[in-house]
Structure formats: C-alpha cells, structure tokens
Amino acid sequence: MKKPLPSGIPRTTRHVKTQWGNVEYRAWGLGDQSVLLQALTGDTSNEVRADALSQIMRSGVTSYSKGDVSEMPLFLAELVLLKMRALSIGEEAVLYKQCQHCEPGKVEFKFNLEELSIQTFEGHKDSLTIGDYTFKFRYPSFRGTLEVGVLETLTNFSERVVVKFIESVCTEDEVYLMDDYNEDEQVEFVKDLGADLQVFVFEKFIQLMPCVAIDLHGSCDKCGTEDHQHVKGASKLFSI
Ligand SMILES: [Zn+2]
C-alpha cells in the first residue's frame, strides 16, 4: 500500500512592512491565478473583479498586522497583489506604449515588480480636529471598492459617500465608532457638519491618498526616442 503524499509543506513567505501595517504573503496557487485572469480579461464588472481580487488576497496573505484582509487599504492591497504576482510568475514585467514621435514605433518599458512602492503626498491628512472633536478617516478597502469609482469629482461626493470614510469621532473621553450607527443616523450627523468636512475629506484625504507608483524608462524600437513615465495606481500594471 502506498503512503499518502505529504501535505502541509510550508510555502515560501515574504513580508511587506509599511506604516499601514505589515503583511506576510506567499505565492498564489494555480487556481487563484485562473480566477485572477478571468477577472482581468473581458467585460468584467467591478463587483466580479473585486470579488476575485479579494479571493486571491485571502488565499495569498498569511497574516496582516491590522486584522482583516478585506479592511486593508486598497493601495496596500494593490502593492501586495503585485508582489504576489512577482513571487508567483516572475519579477520582470513589460508594458508597451505607442511612440509619440513616430507612427509605427512602440516604446517598451521593462521593469521589476519588486521596485514598486507606495507613494505618499505632502498635505495628505487622515484625521481632522474641529473644536473638541477629532475625526479619524479610513481608507477605501476591497470591501468598499465599489464606492471608489465615483470619487473623481466633488459633485459626486455626497454625505452618503463621505460617511464611508469616517471611522470614528472622538473627544477627550468619548469614542463614537461610525459602524455602530445606521446609515440614516450617519448621514444626518454628517449633514449637520456642513460642506467643510466634505471638502476636507475629498481634498486632503481622498485626492492625496497614497498610491502604488513606479518610474518606467524605455525607448522606441523604431526611432530610439527615450521615454519616461511615472505610473500611479496599480490598475495599469495589473493587466501585464
Ligand atoms: Zn519612435
């Protein structure tokens, strides 16, 4: 009788240490990879894509110092996904862009996914004090990804959106967690505060939010013109 094949052999893990938490991750499995490919190709709704990414995060992240993976700031999750991709299918990646100086030429950007980092912006604030009250904001996460798409203009930034970014309000001796209140109570509370809070959250928190970034250098394969791109946000890099 043959012995059962061994199981539970540990896979290599790596770490990302950031001010938003430390993450231990491992390469994704082949099943996860096909989920990812399905999510990234074709006409995929944001919801399907978020579900797929969240499934891969749950399978590849072995620990997150701040707790639940689904609450991880989106920009950190993006970095971890790209690092998992590097560990799973290789660090080298290539992006192509049409040359701006000659018609048939294309610029090839070769880069190493390990060079990705999180860029921060001066003036970004994740809390606000009004009188005796301090508002603490929370970053969009996979759980709340669907709201992120509407955040391009202040016009879309209603009370219903702003409440999603308030984690808590505290005074010297009281803490109010927004999750303890229902949506109507939250919206009433934010309405009472007027537009100042909305503008602050939009301009200082959302617009200056950290993001995954990388510098790319390449040259045209026809005319040789050199090109430099500073790419922000992982969405462009996910498709490689
Ligand atoms: Zn060219």
Side-chain angles (χ1 to χ4, degrees):
M1 202 175 125
K2 64 187 173 191
K3 288 176 282 201
L5 283 166
S7 61
I9 299 171
R11 281 193 254 167
T12 312
T13 55
R14 299 262 174 94
H15 295 86
V16 188
K17 290 197 163 102
T18 73
Q19 57 180 290
W20 306 278
N22 299 333
V23 184
E24 184 189 72
Y25 62 97
R26 60 185 186 188
W28 57 54
L30 289 176
D32 300 328
Q33 189 163 324
S34 62
V35 169
L36 184 65
L37 282 174
Q38 275 169 16
L40 296 178
T41 51
D43 259 346
T44 315
S45 69
N46 282 345
E47 203 167 5
V48 171
R49 181 181 289 222
D51 279 351
L53 294 178
S54 152
Q55 182 180 331
I56 288 158
M57 288 296 284
R58 289 189 175 284
S59 136
V61 172
T62 44
S63 87
Y64 173 45
S65 62
K66 302 260 172 159
D68 188 345
V69 169
S70 67
E71 305 280 336
M72 187 187 292
L74 201 54
F75 55 85
L76 178 56
E78 287 181 343
L79 181 73
V80 171
L81 275 169
L82 287 160
K83 283 183 177 285
M84 261 188 228
R85 189 252 187 222
L87 192 58
S88 308
I89 47 179
E91 294 169 358
E92 299 295 325
V94 180
L95 271 182
Y96 295 98
K97 181 179 155 269
Q98 195 178 338
C99 177
Q100 308 229 308
H101 301 274
C102 70
E103 186 58 44
K106 63 178 196 293
V107 185
E108 182 184 84
F109 297 100
K110 273 194 185 150
F111 61 100
N112 186 325
L113 286 165
E114 290 296 334
E115 287 166 17
L116 282 157
S117 60
I118 292 175
Q119 182 178 2
T120 54
F121 301 92
E122 207 177 325
H124 172 69
K125 298 266 193 300
D126 63 4
S127 66
L128 169 69
T129 301
I130 307 175
D132 294 335
Y133 298 88
T134 298
F135 291 75
K136 181 91 184 80
F137 306 120
R138 60 180 155 205
Y139 292 107
S141 62
F142 274 118
R143 201 187 61 161
T145 313
L146 300 180
E147 284 84 38
V148 183
V150 302
L151 301 182
E152 278 155 23
T153 64
L154 191 53
T155 333
N156 291 333
F157 206 66
S158 65
E159 287 96 354
R160 280 187 195 280
V161 177
V162 82
V163 292
K164 295 185 194 305
F165 298 104
I166 303 174
E167 184 171 79
S168 62
V169 183
C170 55
T171 63
E172 212 164 292
D173 35 40
E174 292 282 359
V175 177
Y176 307 87
L177 296 175
M178 288 309 267
D179 285 345
D180 291 345
Y181 302 88
N182 69 38
E183 199 181 347
D184 288 341
E185 290 168 330
Q186 295 171 351
V187 170
E188 269 315 302
F189 171 68
V190 171
K191 264 187 185 155
D192 252 6
L193 291 158
D196 286 358
L197 179 75
Q198 262 164 272
V199 172
F200 183 92
V201 173
F202 185 73
E203 290 182 349
K204 303 291 183 195
F205 183 65
I206 300 295
Q207 294 233 299
L208 297 174
M209 192 155 58
C211 67
V212 168
I214 192 166
D215 279 311
L216 302 178
H217 298 274
S219 56
C220 172
D221 61 352
K222 294 282 187 296
C223 71
T225 306
E226 292 196 0
D227 199 350
H228 165 246
Q229 300 272 319
H230 181 67
V231 178
K232 287 193 283 188
S235 54
K236 285 180 195 161
L237 300 168
F238 273 139
S239 53
I240 52 183

